[in-house]
Amino acid sequence: MKHTIIFTTLLILVLASCRNREVKVTNEKEGKLTATYQLVEKGEKNFYLDAETAPKPPFMQVWNDSLGKRFLTLLNPYKNAIYFYNYEDTTYVQKIAYNKEGPNAILRVSGYYIKNADSIYIYNMPMVQVELANARGEVKAHIPLTGVSKEPDWPNYYPQYLMSTVTPFIEVGSTLILTGQAVLSVPAENIDRFKISAYINTATNQVDFHHTYPKEIYGNDANWEGGLPTQVFSTLSPEKELVFSFPASHNLYVTRWDEDETRAVYGGSNVASTIHSIDYGDVKKTPDELVVENYMKEDMYGAVLYDPYRKLYYRFLLRGLPNATIKTVKEEKPIVVIMMDGQFNYLGETTLGTGKEWNWTNAFVTQEGLNIEYIGDIGINEDYLTLKVWCPEAIN
């Protein structure tokens, strides 16, 4: 229910200004790519949930303790708690609950990064800040993400964050990177100033902001209303480069983590077509039905993940539904996983099914393969969190 509310909220947000430039993002390699690999299901893991925990948790992280033991951790938003399971045998281990009131209050745990038991970085969405906490439920520091000058109009220049398993914190040395987004179209005058990533210095708790939207996609007052087309996904390459996936771009954008200059590399699908922004700019408010229908009808890219065990990249694509209407739900979109080698050369792609069967925002890589939450084709089983494990296999 909470996911539906967040989705609806993001979709109906609109700018009180005119947008009059339709952007068309062409896929020059549509239908021209040759697949040599496909994804094949290799295993399944089922984690038993208590009566207070539901499938489709909003956030998960695989964490290794100091002895190398692997845990699947997941967020229970109703309990404001992080649950720990043994990843190997799927047994429940423990939970860490955080108070919503008092000196150690965290109003809403919305995502986290477990560095160790004494350093757990938690995104507190209502406060738009990161809390440095520990495994005893104590908060040791508050790290605001609204800019050092705290302007009242900070959302015009600084990102907001809708964390999920595929939009996590990324650790590079003593820096934690959290990539967010503009929830509205970015006005042309702000395209060079609006930064999408917060860099937290874990030694000083100071925050800097880096990286901008690509002008050719999101500049010139392009109308990408609704939040979902402006989401940003990122992963870290073995060369410590950030790889950004923007929903409306067939390209990926690559940059050194400590630099701002980016380069575009092709990272698209063989079946994705031209992506259009909303062709509507005559009045101040884009009608809600146009916002919804545009997102549903267009091919839109999702997360990009790096697989260090196989030296591959995976990128999600949500296929457009040409006949979609305001009543069509986002879970009806077919989900495709594109595979690329370490140099972003196309290897192939596999259609998993629809969002009614797969919760692609709960996806991560382990040595076993690409883990994706499976909901089921006959309805969700409330007793278990189910992960299907996929591996690339050469096409004979």
Side-chain angles (χ1 to χ4, degrees), residues 118-145:
D118 199 46
S119 296
I120 302 175
Y121 292 84
I122 296 173
Y123 179 54
N124 186 353
M125 180 180 283
M127 303 301 294
V128 196
Q129 66 185 20
V130 171
E131 317 289 4
L132 175 57
N134 59 30
R136 297 183 297 278
E138 300 167 339
V139 176
K140 302 189 293 182
H142 308 287
I143 308 172
L145 299 179

Side-chain angles (χ1 to χ4, degrees), residues 306 310-313 339-347:
Y306 181 69
R310 297 158 192 85
K311 299 181 180 179
L312 301 175
Y313 289 95
M339 289 169 286
M340 294 164 279
D341 66 17
Q343 288 70 50
F344 305 103
N345 296 306
Y346 179 84
L347 296 177

Side-chain angles (χ1 to χ4, degrees), residues 365-386:
V365 174
T366 63
Q367 62 194 47
E368 289 80 6
L370 175 63
N371 295 243
I372 308 173
E373 184 179 10
Y374 179 64
I375 301 169
D377 54 4
I378 58 173
I380 194 167
N381 185 338
E382 297 287 345
D383 294 329
Y384 289 93
L385 168 70
T386 298

Side-chain angles (χ1 to χ4, degrees), residues 58-79:
F59 192 87
M60 300 193 295
Q61 178 194 347
V62 174
W63 175 66
N64 293 358
D65 69 9
S66 59
L67 300 177
K69 188 174 181 179
R70 283 192 298 173
F71 297 89
L72 175 70
T73 72
L74 60 88
L75 171 61
N76 182 335
Y78 309 106
K79 304 299 290 185

Side-chain angles (χ1 to χ4, degrees), residues 79-318:
K79 304 299 290 185
N80 222 37
I82 302 171
Y83 283 60
F84 289 70
Y85 290 81
N86 185 314
Y87 178 81
E88 313 298 340
D89 63 16
T90 73
T91 56
Y92 170 79
V93 178
Q94 65 170 352
K95 68 179 178 183
I96 305 171
Y98 292 93
N99 294 327
K100 295 184 178 182
E101 298 178 348
N104 293 301
I106 300 178
L107 291 181
R108 188 196 308 168
V109 179
S110 304
Y112 55 84
Y113 179 77
I114 304 172
K115 186 177 178 70
N116 54 54
D118 199 46
S119 296
I120 302 175
Y121 292 84
I122 296 173
Y123 179 54
N124 186 353
M125 180 180 283
M127 303 301 294
V128 196
Q129 66 185 20
V130 171
E131 317 289 4
L132 175 57
N134 59 30
R136 297 183 297 278
E138 300 167 339
V139 176
K140 302 189 293 182
H142 308 287
I143 308 172
L145 299 179
T146 53
V148 292
S149 56
K150 297 181 181 178
E151 303 101 322
D153 60 343
W154 67 266
N156 290 329
Y157 311 107
Y158 297 100
Q160 298 184 56
Y161 311 88
L162 183 60
M163 292 195 70
S164 70
T165 307
V166 294
T167 53
F169 287 94
I170 294 176
E171 183 179 18
V172 187
S174 61
T175 300
L176 270 184
I177 302 171
L178 179 57
T179 295
Q181 67 177 98
V183 295
L184 305 171
S185 298
V186 182
E189 63 270 20
N190 291 348
I191 194 69
D192 290 321
R193 179 177 174 183
F194 191 98
K195 303 298 175 66
I196 57 177
S197 296
Y199 279 46
I200 302 170
N201 185 318
T202 57
T204 64
N205 291 339
Q206 296 299 306
V207 181
D208 292 316
F209 296 88
H210 296 272
H211 313 301
T212 58
Y213 281 100
K215 284 185 181 180
E216 63 271 24
I217 308 295
Y218 294 96
N220 297 313
D221 282 332
N223 191 347
W224 296 107
E225 303 292 3
L228 292 174
T230 58
Q231 282 188 297
V232 188
F233 305 90
S234 61
T235 192
L236 189 68
S237 79
E239 292 79 24
K240 291 185 171 55
E241 292 181 314
L242 286 174
V243 180
F244 290 108
S245 173
F246 297 93
S249 178
H250 304 287
N251 289 333
L252 295 165
Y253 290 79
V254 184
T255 178
R256 280 281 307 175
W257 77 273
D258 53 355
E259 298 176 358
D260 285 330
E261 185 176 349
T262 62
R263 71 180 193 276
V265 298
Y266 183 76
S269 161
N270 195 45
V271 299
S273 300
T274 298
I275 303 172
H276 305 79
S277 63
I278 302 172
D279 185 15
Y280 192 87
D282 295 332
V283 296
K284 292 183 177 181
K285 175 180 170 59
T286 303
D288 296 343
E289 59 269 22
L290 290 186
V291 175
V292 175
E293 288 182 18
N294 178 263
Y295 176 79
M296 293 305 303
K297 290 180 178 180
E298 301 295 327
D299 294 320
M300 289 279 175
Y301 292 93
V304 58
L305 304 174
Y306 181 69
D307 183 341
Y309 306 99
R310 297 158 192 85
K311 299 181 180 179
L312 301 175
Y313 289 95
Y314 307 108
R315 191 186 190 193
F316 288 88
L317 170 72
L318 282 72

